[in-house]
Amino acid sequence: MATPFSPFDRRTFMKWGVALPLLGRIAAQDLFGKVQGAIGKPSAENVYRRLGVRTIINCRGTWTYLSGSLELPEVRAAQLEAAKRFVDITELQHAVGRRLAEVTGAESGMVTSGAAGAMASATAACLAGNDPAKIWQLPDTTGLKHEVVMVGGRSAFDSAIRLAGAKLVLVYSRQELQNALNANSAMIYTTDIGEDLAQEITIAKGARGPLLLDDAAGIPPIDNIKLYAKMGTDLYTFSGGKGLMGPQCSGLLLGRKDLIEAALANTNPWEGAICRPMKVGKEEIIGCLAAVESWLRMDLNALTNDWDGRVRRIAKLVETVPGVRTDIQIPKDGNRYPTLSVTWDEKDWGFTVAECARKLSEGDPRIEVLTKTNPSLVPGVIEGNPNRKGTEAKDQLQIVSMTLRLGEDIIVGRRLREILNTARRVAHPAA
């Protein structure tokens, strides 16, 4: 006996069944919107709308050009309290350094102007130390150790190292790292984690030279804030305005007490120091500490489940479009949150990931998704090993869960479903 649905139709029917509760919520939202319009309730006003700036539904993640992340409530409250009094910034940094040592296991720490600010302060510390004459001499490194060995090649952020006067030495293997270290080596810079980092730490200890780990997007998990201290990392940094959900213009530099003291000596508020322009105020310092303390109290599993639910709801909606496939994974490095990948046959539909992302961005509200593009990268930048050969990664549309606010998942799922359904019907009018 013939079944009422072909295998393809049966799968589509089941996906519609799963999505029905969400479609009901969409219908309710539409009705509520019509009621609001009928009674003449004005649209939401905010400081951005008054300036003619569109706010964004951020599905791309904690990118600086999209204003990083949203601050935790505890961070906002701490900054408001900090803003009510005057304080000595140097005294405050030392007090926060002691507190960071207590909760992380590092010898000390400081709040910087982002992870890039931490890179600059760390470099200046390794070039000039605490010597006032050398601090004033930078970025002139005549007579000083001045080479920074960059593991893995250049980075888009290495200007933060070069501005202190350092010369970059590029290496691409453990052996090259070993061979590059000499009497002029001031610091090793790496973004490696795991076993690669452990081996590099061993090499640095053998050469008696400090190593800086840049793991700007390394929180969550918050355990990393203690892990790198346990591994014996001389210096390590995280962004305060990414996964930590602290002030957007803040970062953390943690590690050896002598190096943190030297970094402080080369940084704001010291007039004449190379990193004086990289100012953080009392609000950012207190706010960043509040973010760390808040994360140490959080249940990451519960958060991950919440994030996962957001992208699963989007997946249920877009899967009702025949031919659309979804997958949810947590990346192993950077932006470690449940991330939804949405794919379709771009060639068959005549509709690319880039076109879909553009339609989402041009709509109202503006929706930004993750693709292979980097709109904030200076076009001339070449990162990593320029001689490495390999095939270019296929573009894909991804939705990062952590930067979605409550209820935005339904808006995103609905819009993406409409765009993909339209594209499919244009390609196959008879389907």
Side-chain angles (χ1 to χ4, degrees):
M1 181 182 296
T3 57
F5 296 102
S6 69
F8 175 80
D9 289 334
R10 186 184 296 111
R11 287 196 297 270
T12 303
F13 179 78
M14 292 174 65
K15 289 175 180 177
W16 271 96
V18 169
L20 277 175
L22 297 178
L23 295 171
R25 286 176 59 180
I26 290 173
Q29 286 177 349
D30 285 345
L31 178 61
F32 180 68
K34 290 177 182 178
V35 171
Q36 280 187 313
I39 64 177
K41 185 173 181 178
S43 60
E45 187 65 70
N46 61 59
V47 294
Y48 302 110
R49 189 183 295 273
R50 289 199 294 272
L51 292 171
V53 175
R54 290 196 300 161
T55 55
I56 294 168
I57 293 181
N58 183 3
C59 306
R60 190 179 179 94
T62 55
W63 287 68
T64 297
Y65 87 98
L66 293 179
S67 62
S69 59
L70 300 181
E71 293 176 348
L72 294 167
E74 297 90 337
V75 171
R76 295 197 296 270
Q79 289 183 103
L80 183 61
E81 182 64 27
K84 296 176 181 179
R85 300 286 188 275
F86 291 102
V87 69
D88 183 311
I89 292 295
T90 302
E91 182 182 352
L92 177 60
Q93 282 279 28
H94 279 112
V96 168
R98 291 191 295 272
R99 177 58 180 156
L100 287 171
E102 289 176 5
V103 300
T104 68
E107 291 182 10
S108 188
M110 63 184 284
V111 177
T112 63
S113 59
M119 290 166 60
S121 294
T123 303
C126 293
L127 294 175
N130 289 291
D131 187 323
K134 293 177 181 177
I135 291 171
W136 175 236
Q137 179 182 328
L138 295 182
D140 176 5
T141 57
T142 303
L144 307 179
K145 290 184 177 182
H146 61 282
E147 294 181 354
V148 171
V149 182
M150 300 277 296
V151 178
R154 290 201 61 183
S155 155
F157 305 100
D158 64 32
S159 293
I161 292 173
R162 291 184 291 126
L163 67 79
K167 174 187 175 184
L168 303 183
V169 178
L170 311 180
V171 300
Y172 305 100
S173 69
R174 301 290 92 75
Q175 188 60 51
E176 288 184 12
L177 171 59
Q178 188 84 58
N179 295 338
L181 297 172
N182 56 56
N184 285 321
S185 300
M187 188 179 80
I188 299 169
Y189 169 89
T190 187
T191 58
D192 288 336
I193 56 177
E195 183 55 34
D196 287 338
L197 173 62
Q199 292 180 24
E200 290 158 15
I201 290 173
T202 299
I203 293 172
K205 300 295 185 192
R208 297 185 179 180
L211 178 144
L212 168 66
L213 166 65
D214 175 7
D215 195 14
I219 297 174
I222 191 61
D223 290 349
N224 282 342
I225 208 167
K226 299 179 180 180
L227 171 65
Y228 301 138
K230 291 177 182 176
M231 293 177 69
T233 313
D234 299 298
L235 290 166
Y236 56 102
T237 181
F238 303 103
S239 172
K242 290 188 169 65
L244 193 61
M245 301 171 74
Q248 166 61 13
C249 51
S250 71
L252 286 171
L253 181 62
L254 300 156
R256 280 170 36 189
K257 184 175 178 59
D258 62 323
L259 294 175
I260 296 296
E261 288 298 317
L264 286 168
N266 282 271
T267 309
N268 175 73
W270 292 105
E271 298 171 19
I274 191 73
C275 297
R276 160 76 182 192
M278 301 171 192
K279 184 180 294 185
V280 286
K282 57 188 182 296
E283 297 83 7
E284 288 82 22
I285 296 171
I286 289 296
C288 197
L289 176 62
V292 171
E293 293 177 328
S294 297
W295 265 101
L296 289 168
R297 295 190 296 267
M298 284 186 195
D299 182 344
L300 181 56
N301 288 331
L303 270 176
T304 301
N305 288 337
D306 180 40
W307 292 332
D308 185 73
R310 298 177 196 183
V311 287
R312 288 198 181 280
R313 284 189 286 275
I314 295 172
K316 288 177 183 177
L317 288 170
V318 298
E319 283 177 351
T320 61
V321 179
V324 171
R325 298 172 298 279
T326 66
D327 181 56
I328 298 173
Q329 301 288 336
I330 298 178
K332 291 188 166 106
D333 57 343
N335 291 306
R336 301 176 180 101
Y337 328 108
T339 300
L340 169 68
S341 296
V342 181
T343 58
W344 60 93
D345 191 329
E346 296 177 59
K347 185 175 180 181
D348 179 58
W349 288 20
F351 187 64
T352 66
V353 164
E355 289 173 303
C356 186
R358 178 177 54 79
K359 286 182 176 293
L360 288 167
S361 182
E362 291 176 349
D364 185 19
R366 176 180 172 182
I367 299 172
E368 293 296 330
V369 293
L370 183 62
T371 66
K372 70 176 182 179
T373 62
N374 181 356
S376 59
L377 186 69
V378 173
V381 170
I382 299 175
E383 295 186 290
N385 188 343
N387 299 316
R388 182 177 54 201
K389 295 180 180 179
T391 57
E392 186 177 358
K394 185 180 184 297
D395 200 6
Q396 57 180 331
L397 188 149
Q398 294 186 305
I399 293 171
V400 179
S401 58
M402 177 265 195
T403 44
L404 280 168
R405 296 191 305 159
L406 183 65
E408 290 181 338
D409 49 357
I410 302 299
I411 298 172
V412 173
R414 176 183 185 178
R415 175 86 67 76
L416 186 54
R417 182 169 67 95
E418 290 173 349
I419 291 171
L420 291 174
N421 211 23
T422 298
R424 182 187 67 86
R425 287 175 175 169
V426 169
H428 300 283

